[in-house]
Amino acid sequence: MAEIALNARHDPEAAAATRRYFWNRFLIYAVLTLFAVIYLAPMLVVVFNSLREQSEIARNGLISVPRSFRLDAWAQAWGTYCVSGTCEGMKRNFFNSLWMTIPATVISTLLGAMNGYVLSKWRFKGSEILFNLMLLGVFMPGQISLMPWAFLLGKLGLTNSTYGLVLIHVVQGISFTTLFCRNFYVSIPDDLIKAARIDGAGFWRIFRKIILPLSPPILIVTVIWQFTGIWNEYLFGVVFTSGQQQPITAALVALTAGGTTARAYDVMSAAVLIGALPPLLIYLFGGKYFVRGLTQGAIK
Amino acid sequence: MSTRDVTVPVVAPATPWRQRLGTMVPILVLAPSLAASFIYVFVFTLWTLYLSLSNSSLMPTYGFVGLDNYASLWANRRWNIAYTNLFLFSGFYIVGSMAIGLLLAILIDQRVRGEAVWRTIFLYPLAVSFIVTGTVWSWLYNPVDGIQAFVRGVGWTDFSFALTANRNTAIYAVIITGIWQSSGFAMALFLAGLRSVDPDLVKAAQIDGASVSRTYLKVILPTIAPIFLAVAVIQIQFAIKTFDLVAALTRGGPGVSTTFPAIYVYDLMFQRGQIGEGAAAAMMMLAALAVVLVPYSLWIVWRRRAEGSNG
């Protein structure tokens, strides 16, 4: 402060520049803060409401400073709240989603890594065309595949089961994972592979000893992409499963659509947060790598 | 009779067989994924295309009726609302989220403190499902419990904010929520673009005495023009496939005012037992995607070739 005041006495121009700089900075942070509030507020409202008493929400509305604190709503949402006849909360649907998302993510990522390896390092005649055909899967709207899937799942005996959804998500995910991995592996120098082949290493040995150790950056992107995408998916979940077999997204819609009676916002808020938590945690821990990988690979 | 006579006939045919197997491995690895993708993309699309030309109602049937389903689709008032909504939504959603995304990216690009924190805050909605976002915002739009009640409680007693309660304004609730969800994604891509601009170019502009805003307008933004297009194309794709957001936020209502093509397909196929017409609507969604994606892919290929021949 003293320095600025001193400068002002000697050099009015510098003082004006300093003031302009200060206001510029102030404006930048003010706008960023405003948007940060808009982005955080809805989630904060839900968190608060999951911790307040329902009677208080009913009295003061959804948006207000919490005056009570309790965790009952979380326990109810997890284990005892009644949705369409059964009173088991979100627990079962949460695990449905988990047992659907983990295998689908792992399988599609492994397939993507192997496909990407073949399509970048073991090219053969026509492999570029095959790659482009596989890419078409990225753009397919789910609505096109609904009736064929319904027929196929019926034939395979996988209607209304988590395995059916795993199958759908693996097939749908192959295009994405292959695209990500192939674009990443292209940047690994071919000479590395050639040298290994001269030393007598075969297809799988090169994959294990050279490709996989270089893969973590892209595998993190692929896993985050697949996990959040599959966990958050709704269309296939609501179409191909019902009741206790539903993933958590479909169960949430069923829960919050409930009748005309007074709405239990406290329990519903907790349920919403339970449904949002896994991908949020993955994003908070891996988001840095995700953005880096996405902007390196996907937009080029 | 030496041992050599015995071993040679065994090894000699085995080696080419093994080699041949070795060269087959990459193709064998790829084969299951290829088969699955082929079925998923081509067989499924042709299947649905055929259903759209059939007299399927409650169950898929294969009586050929030509373009009847398409005719009744386009004659349906609700489908026209869905299509109009798609245009309205796409326009506002893309412009809105790109404008906010660009603004945030430029602000963060001014060497602000705690960059990672800002970025995380703006990007986190992307990790949250449309179901969660839609549910939470449907509460906030609720005039009795949400934002309207809050502002009135603060003292502005005739404040009105009941977008989802009104047929004419419910679509804007969908637009606002969509922008909230995805402007962070636009920000991330724009920020990556801003960072990839050659710093010498920026320095040169500054030495020439260009102001910050002029440097952005004349130097930085034109060089990241391809990113604008990429973000727009990705957003249009989201818009055409929009289903979850509406399902959780307004459920297509009030009335049919926020029906989207994706909602319409679901409704016809699984609620009303009009599979043929539902398939026709799904094919129209695919057509809308193709209208956007085919020219874009051709442009990308053309640009790669042009870059390749220059460099």
Side-chain angles (χ1 to χ4, degrees):
Chain A
M1 283 301 271
E3 267 174 64
I4 293 170
L6 219 73
N7 280 341
R9 212 171 297 144
H10 293 297
D11 188 350
E13 222 167 89
T18 313
R19 221 175 315 139
R20 207 163 48 231
Y21 177 81
F22 172 79
W23 282 112
N24 263 336
R25 290 270 110 183
F26 177 78
L27 200 67
I28 289 170
Y29 285 106
V31 175
L32 283 176
T33 307
L34 173 73
F35 274 95
V37 168
I38 295 173
Y39 277 84
L40 289 174
M43 269 301 142
L44 215 58
V45 165
V46 186
V47 172
F48 283 160
N49 286 328
S50 75
L51 300 172
R52 297 155 70 197
E53 281 168 21
Q54 173 60 25
S55 59
E56 189 201 323
I57 301 174
R59 206 167 44 242
N60 299 340
L62 283 163
I63 312 167
S64 73
V65 188
R67 293 192 180 83
S68 54
F69 175 86
R70 50 169 216 160
L71 290 167
D72 295 20
W74 282 82
Q76 280 184 46
W78 177 252
T80 61
Y81 194 69
C82 302
V83 193
S84 48
T86 48
C87 297
E88 296 188 326
M90 290 280 114
K91 190 173 46 194
R92 188 184 288 268
N93 306 105
F94 182 89
F95 284 116
N96 285 345
S97 279
L98 208 58
W99 301 142
M100 165 183 82
T101 309
I102 291 174
T105 302
V106 170
I107 297 171
S108 61
T109 301
L110 282 178
L111 285 174
M114 293 193 304
N115 294 340
Y117 168 52
V118 170
L119 290 168
S120 61
K121 298 298 169 215
W122 293 81
R123 291 186 207 184
F124 49 89
K125 212 174 166 216
S127 63
E128 280 297 295
I129 295 170
L130 291 179
F131 173 61
N132 285 319
L133 291 182
M134 284 179 85
L135 276 196
L136 288 177
V138 168
F139 306 113
M140 282 277 288
Q143 282 76 10
I144 289 284
S145 65
L146 282 176
M147 289 321 292
W149 273 130
F151 177 83
L152 219 60
L153 292 184
K155 283 278 164 210
L156 296 169
L158 294 175
T159 312
N160 201 17
S161 89
T162 306
Y163 299 111
L165 293 181
V166 170
L167 177 70
I168 293 177
H169 288 305
V170 167
V171 171
Q172 219 197 3
I174 287 174
S175 315
F176 287 96
T177 56
T178 304
L179 169 71
F180 289 170
C181 293
R182 187 263 187 194
N183 284 357
F184 182 80
Y185 293 151
V186 159
S187 63
I188 295 176
D190 286 341
D191 291 343
L192 215 60
I193 312 295
K194 260 182 218 151
R197 285 175 83 168
I198 290 167
D199 289 347
F203 180 84
W204 291 111
R205 210 178 152 74
I206 294 172
F207 185 61
R208 277 205 319 272
K209 299 281 176 186
I210 298 176
I211 301 288
L212 276 187
L214 292 170
S215 294
I218 193 61
L219 292 186
I220 291 171
V221 172
T222 312
V223 165
I224 294 178
W225 178 272
Q226 286 297 89
F227 188 96
T228 50
I230 297 169
W231 182 277
N232 289 337
E233 205 277 336
Y234 171 68
L235 177 65
F236 294 123
V238 76
V239 168
F240 296 125
T241 58
S242 60
Q244 301 197 326
Q245 299 301 317
Q246 285 191 325
I248 199 156
T249 44
L252 271 181
V253 172
L255 172 85
T256 53
T260 47
T261 48
R263 316 187 74 190
Y265 280 119
D266 56 343
V267 178
M268 293 197 292
S269 296
V272 160
L273 289 172
I274 290 170
L277 222 47
L280 263 183
L281 289 178
I282 293 237
Y283 164 72
L284 285 180
F285 288 116
K288 195 170 60 179
Y289 308 99
F290 181 69
V291 173
R292 199 184 298 159
L294 195 69
T295 47
Q296 274 169 1
I299 279 305
K300 277 181 185 167
Chain B
M1 288 291 258
S2 65
T3 48
R4 199 182 274 167
D5 289 323
V6 182
T7 49
V8 165
V10 176
V11 172
T15 311
W17 180 79
R18 271 206 175 166
Q19 268 175 0
R20 214 176 304 149
L21 191 74
T23 56
M24 289 288 284
V25 166
I27 296 171
L28 288 176
V29 166
L30 205 58
S33 302
L34 268 179
S37 297
F38 178 80
I39 293 172
Y40 179 64
V41 173
F42 295 102
V43 178
F44 279 17
T45 303
L46 288 176
W47 198 335
T48 300
L49 175 66
Y50 191 83
L51 284 175
S52 78
L53 302 171
S54 75
N55 58 2
S56 304
S57 54
L58 264 175
M59 294 296 284
T61 47
Y62 296 96
F64 187 77
V65 295
L67 295 174
D68 283 9
N69 286 320
Y70 291 88
S72 74
L73 181 69
W74 284 102
N76 191 316
R77 190 179 72 92
R78 205 175 151 217
W79 171 256
N80 284 291
I81 292 174
Y83 220 72
T84 317
N85 277 342
L86 180 59
F87 275 100
L88 203 64
F89 176 71
S90 305
F92 278 106
Y93 169 72
I94 292 163
V95 172
S97 64
M98 281 175 74
I100 292 175
L102 184 63
L103 171 72
L104 294 176
I106 290 178
L107 289 178
I108 288 180
D109 198 34
Q110 307 305 308
R111 269 167 282 149
V112 294
R113 270 167 208 238
E115 183 190 317
V117 177
W118 297 112
R119 248 189 359 220
T120 307
I121 293 174
F122 300 140
L123 202 56
Y124 92 89
L126 198 69
V128 178
S129 66
F130 274 124
I131 294 300
V132 165
T133 305
T135 305
V136 172
W137 278 87
S138 75
W139 298 344
L140 296 178
Y141 289 123
N142 182 331
V144 183
D145 304 302
I147 294 171
Q148 175 173 307
F150 171 71
V151 177
R152 286 189 181 178
V154 170
W156 184 354
T157 47
D158 56 354
F159 175 80
S160 170
F161 187 74
L163 295 180
T164 49
N166 185 321
R167 279 166 188 274
N168 297 320
T169 55
I171 183 72
Y172 297 100
V174 182
I175 291 169
I176 292 172
T177 315
I179 293 174
W180 181 84
Q181 170 102 6
S182 70
S183 41
F185 178 62
M187 174 216 67
L189 296 182
F190 281 130
L191 193 58
L194 293 177
R195 295 283 153 83
S196 70
V197 173
D198 183 3
D200 291 342
L201 213 64
V202 181
K203 240 175 242 162
Q206 283 169 345
I207 289 169
D208 287 348
S211 66
V212 176
S213 53
R214 219 182 139 72
T215 312
Y216 271 102
L217 272 177
K218 298 280 172 188
V219 181
I220 300 177
L221 295 186
T223 56
I224 63 165
I227 293 189
F228 281 82
L229 200 60
V231 175
V233 167
I234 295 171
Q235 307 270 45
I236 289 178
Q237 248 207 98
F238 278 156
I240 294 173
K241 294 176 181 172
T242 294
F243 174 73
D244 318 19
L245 178 61
V246 181
L249 183 60
T250 61
R251 301 175 213 284
V256 293
S257 60
T258 52
T259 302
F260 276 68
I263 295 271
Y264 191 85
V265 172
Y266 172 77
D267 225 37
L268 255 61
M269 281 185 175
F270 299 100
Q271 309 289 320
R272 298 181 183 221
Q274 299 178 28
I275 287 175
E277 201 181 317
M283 291 310 295
M284 294 315 302
M285 285 178 66
L286 188 65
L289 278 171
V291 165
V292 176
L293 290 172
V294 171
Y296 180 69
S297 328
L298 291 177
W299 179 76
I300 292 274
V301 170
W302 174 81
R303 197 170 63 119
R304 286 230 175 102
R305 290 232 173 110
E307 271 173 13
S309 62
N310 286 341

